[in-house]
């Protein structure tokens, strides 16, 4: 385990497997959202523990890559679409997260699963989704929100778009989806009310993250590498939920007292959301080679995305494609409320990767078509067999 976050996820998973409940350092906690530690604990119970659990992240990323291939293949109607799977597996940010015990692999799979559902609905002529499908969407939205809370906005936007697609079925879809979204969230909140004295919906990190992204030492790309202002450091006697509230109040106070500086910082964080690379804040991590590879890879994906948009007359873009590209962009001002990092954006990069792969498939199909047309032309314009024989005899 290279990072403190990974060690905490593993510690919670071991506590759950040992019967100690959702706790950190022996105390009940909601500092980390529940879905990822719960999944890890199931494997710990089976005897799979330690750094080998990182393989689970890799497996989830491979599953996400397969789903990306299905999306691309479904849109193009060609098996060449599975080129998207290859691109997903070599995209540097995916390779990085697949080698950690972060929940980003799971989040990538869930984002693509929601997109695949919207794509399939588009391709099926907006037919009403069944009870099971609606319930599954609600559970996927809840899982995404309870795995990576910064993606709760993505889950919300995806749900709204799927609701809009369900013409004539909106009341039933909304009822079922909201019910199955609410059940896990309410259960988690009820547990937090009982154990911590407050119904925390997602995690108790929102206040601290707000301070990290809104203080005098923060910059657009500083991430967690900041100096906490003395007035934002909570007294040691405060419990977890009180610390969260203390951090939040300190951040809001700084924003109110420094509106111009806070506004400039917010713009810088929004722009940093689109950065191809952010140097890791952990000492000794990151290198010039990694930076160059990340910049080149992200640049290539952006070029592919632009190409896809320019070639939309050859293969019409589905409405769900436009909507999920908008989801990628709209997340920038939302995440900038706290702070932005390329690692936090990574699950959403899969949308751009699929669109870039679509551009490659369109270009390859165009080349094939031109080659086929040229061969047909040569055959039709060339001499007949009888003429060739007569010429040879002559």
């Amino acid at each position: 385990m290279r990072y403190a976050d990974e060690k905490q996820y593993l510690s919670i998973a071991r506590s759950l497997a040992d019967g100690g409940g959702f706790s950190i350092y022996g105390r009940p906690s909601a500092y980390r959202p529940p879905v990822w530690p719960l999944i890890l604990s199931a494997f710990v119970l089976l005897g799979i523990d330690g750094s080998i659990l990182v393989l689970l992240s890799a497996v989830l990323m491979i599953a996400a890559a397969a789903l990306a291939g299905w999306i691309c293949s479904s849109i193009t109607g060609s098996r060449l679409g599975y080129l998207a799977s290859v691109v997903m597996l070599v995209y540097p940010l995916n390779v990085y997260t697949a080698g950690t015990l972060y929940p980003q692999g799971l989040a990538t799979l869930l984002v693509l699963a929601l997109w695949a559902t919207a794509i399939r609905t588009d391709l099926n002529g907006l037919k009403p989704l069944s009870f099971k499908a609606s319930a599954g969407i609600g559970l996927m939205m809840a899982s995404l929100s309870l795995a990576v809370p910064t993606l709760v906005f993505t889950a919300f936007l995806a749900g709204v778009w799927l609701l809009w697609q369900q013409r004539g079925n909106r009341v039933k879809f909304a009822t079922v989806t909201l019910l199955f979204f609410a059940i896990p969230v309410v259960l988690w909140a009820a547990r937090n009310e009982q154990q911590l004295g407050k119904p925390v919906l997602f995690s108790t990190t929102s206040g601290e993250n707000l301070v990290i992204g809104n203080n005098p030492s923060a910059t657009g790309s500083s991430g967690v590498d900041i100096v906490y202002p003395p007035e934002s450091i909570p007294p040691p006697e405060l419990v977890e939920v009180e610390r969260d509230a203390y951090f939040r109040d300190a951040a809001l106070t700084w924003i109110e007292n420094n509106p111009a500086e806070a506004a400039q910082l917010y713009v810088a964080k929004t722009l940093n959301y689109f950065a191809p690379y952010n140097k890791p804040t952990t000492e000794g991590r990151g290198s010039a080679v990694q930076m160059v590879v990340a910049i080149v890879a992200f640049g290539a994906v952006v070029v592919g995305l632009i190409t896809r948009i320019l070639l939309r007359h050859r293969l019409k873009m589905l409405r769900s494609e436009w909507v999920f590209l908008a989801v990628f962009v709209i997340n920038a001002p939302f995440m900038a409320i706290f702070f932005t990092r390329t690692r936090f954006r990574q699950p959403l990069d899969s949308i751009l990767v699929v669109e870039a792969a679509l551009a490659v498939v369109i270009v390859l199909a165009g080349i094939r078509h031109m080659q086929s047309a040229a061969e047909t032309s040569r055959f039709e314009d060339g001499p007949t067999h009888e003429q060739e024989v007569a010429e040879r005899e002559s």
Side-chain angles (χ1 to χ4, degrees):
M1 301 293 104
R2 295 174 291 175
Y3 304 109
D5 297 8
E6 295 177 288
K7 294 174 183 178
Q8 278 196 347
Y9 283 123
L10 182 57
S11 175
I12 296 169
R14 286 172 173 168
S15 177
L16 286 165
D18 294 339
F22 201 97
S23 63
I24 299 177
Y25 309 126
R27 289 184 293 185
S29 174
Y31 190 73
R32 298 294 176 189
V35 166
W36 187 233
L38 282 168
I39 293 174
L40 293 177
S41 68
F43 289 89
V44 174
L45 276 171
L46 294 174
I48 303 171
D49 200 352
S51 59
I52 195 172
L53 278 171
V54 172
L55 288 173
L56 179 59
S57 293
V59 169
L60 289 169
M61 190 61 72
I62 291 170
L67 195 52
W70 180 89
I71 292 172
C72 189
S73 179
S74 297
I75 294 173
T76 60
S78 168
R79 287 178 295 179
L80 279 174
Y82 281 95
L83 177 66
S85 299
V86 178
V87 180
M88 279 283 293
L89 292 176
V90 299
Y91 186 59
L93 206 52
N94 288 348
V95 175
Y96 165 73
T97 53
T100 68
L101 208 60
Y102 289 140
Q104 264 68 25
L106 172 63
T108 302
L109 178 60
L110 290 171
V111 168
L112 286 174
L114 288 170
W115 190 21
T117 304
I119 292 290
R120 186 175 181 181
T121 303
D122 262 347
L123 294 174
N124 287 347
L126 306 181
K127 291 181 180 178
L129 291 169
S130 65
F131 176 90
K132 288 183 179 179
S134 302
I137 290 166
L139 290 175
M140 285 192 290
M141 291 169 58
S143 298
L144 183 60
S145 304
L146 292 172
V148 183
T150 53
L151 293 175
V152 62
F153 189 54
T154 298
F156 170 76
L157 292 175
V160 169
W161 172 242
L162 287 165
L163 174 64
W164 180 257
Q165 286 182 312
Q166 293 298 291
R167 296 171 185 172
N169 187 46
R170 287 172 182 162
V171 174
K172 178 183 175 183
F173 174 81
T175 302
V176 175
T177 301
L178 285 174
L179 174 64
F180 281 86
F181 171 81
I183 288 172
V185 175
V186 170
L187 288 174
W188 174 240
R191 176 266 175 191
N192 293 332
E193 173 68 38
Q194 182 184 28
Q195 296 289 320
L196 306 175
K198 186 176 180 181
V200 178
L201 291 180
F202 300 108
S203 76
T204 55
T205 58
S206 59
E208 186 172 5
N209 287 336
L210 199 61
V211 164
I212 290 172
N214 298 277
N215 69 80
S217 67
T219 66
S221 60
S222 58
V224 297
D225 188 18
I226 56 101
V227 177
Y228 287 86
E231 63 273 12
S232 72
I233 301 175
E237 65 270 13
L238 297 184
V239 297
E240 188 174 294
V241 292
E242 294 172 337
R243 284 171 56 85
D244 186 47
Y246 191 97
F247 277 127
R248 187 179 300 105
D249 291 341
L252 293 175
T253 299
W254 180 81
I255 293 171
E256 291 172 2
N257 294 337
N258 304 272
E261 187 178 349
Q264 291 177 356
L265 179 59
Y266 178 74
V267 172
K269 290 185 293 183
T270 302
L271 293 175
N272 183 66
Y273 171 87
F274 300 99
Y277 176 79
N278 285 146
K279 184 178 180 180
T281 53
T282 305
E283 187 176 354
R285 298 293 175 188
S287 67
V289 173
Q290 289 175 345
M291 179 179 70
V292 170
V293 169
I295 291 173
V296 170
F298 187 71
V301 167
V302 170
V303 170
L305 169 63
I306 294 171
T307 304
R308 166 67 177 120
I309 294 173
L310 293 175
L311 294 178
R312 65 186 183 278
H313 63 282
R314 288 188 172 273
L315 180 65
K316 183 180 178 181
M317 291 185 70
L318 300 177
R319 291 182 301 171
S320 295
E321 291 182 73
W322 288 112
V323 168
F324 273 78
L325 285 174
V327 167
F328 176 88
V329 174
I330 295 173
N331 262 279
F334 172 75
M335 291 189 178
I337 294 171
F338 303 94
F339 61 97
T340 52
R341 302 286 290 168
T342 52
R343 178 169 69 85
F344 296 163
R345 191 199 67 212
Q346 176 269 327
L348 299 170
D349 278 10
S350 56
I351 299 170
L352 306 189
V353 168
V354 171
E355 292 296 339
L358 279 165
V360 175
V361 173
I362 294 170
V363 170
L364 290 176
I367 292 172
R368 279 187 173 184
H369 178 72
M370 287 188 293
Q371 289 176 339
S372 176
E375 290 174 0
T376 302
S377 176
R378 284 197 301 270
F379 175 77
E380 291 177 348
D381 297 339
T384 63
H385 177 67
E386 290 78 5
Q387 289 175 324
E388 288 181 343
V389 172
E391 287 174 1
R392 284 198 298 271
E393 290 176 348
S394 174

